[in-house]
Amino acid sequence: MTPIKLAGVEVDADDPCALYQALYAAKLKLLAGERVEETEVRSPVTHQRVRVAVGNMAALDAELMRLAAACSAKQGKRSRFAKTLRFI
């Protein structure tokens, strides 16, 4: 067991199902705007406040898909792929 802390929860890094659940929770927090950072710049003349959301959704989605497939394989479930044929 290789424990890591992800989104405030300690998770086994070798368990794809546990990692999927923790990453999905982190994604929901990111979508809800909980990972917003704010900074201020003040001068005698102006006052500016900038809010920035940090995160890479494409990389997070790709990792979630990989972990979902690994979790299904670990549980013995087969993933189904539909093939389509078109006659011309």
Side-chain angles (χ1 to χ4, degrees):
M1 179 174 161
T2 309
I4 61 170
K5 197 165 198 172
L6 186 65
V9 178
E10 197 162 301
V11 181
D12 180 11
D14 299 327
D15 183 8
C17 299
L19 277 175
Y20 178 86
Q21 290 175 346
L23 277 179
Y24 191 75
K27 179 182 178 180
L28 291 178
K29 288 180 181 179
L30 184 65
L31 286 172
E34 289 188 21
R35 294 266 332 231
V36 174
E37 296 179 12
E38 189 172 301
T39 185
E40 291 186 17
V41 177
R42 291 185 182 195
S43 72
V45 180
T46 64
H47 174 84
Q48 295 179 336
R49 182 175 293 165
V50 179
R51 298 181 79 195
V52 179
V54 180
N56 184 346
M57 285 301 227
L60 188 55
D61 286 338
E63 184 64 13
L64 283 170
M65 288 178 57
R66 186 189 72 76
L67 287 171
C71 182
S72 293
K74 179 182 176 185
Q75 294 176 343
K77 296 180 182 176
R78 288 180 40 189
S79 54
R80 296 181 178 190
F81 294 99
K83 292 185 179 181
T84 59
L85 298 172
R86 184 185 327 174
F87 295 99
I88 300 176

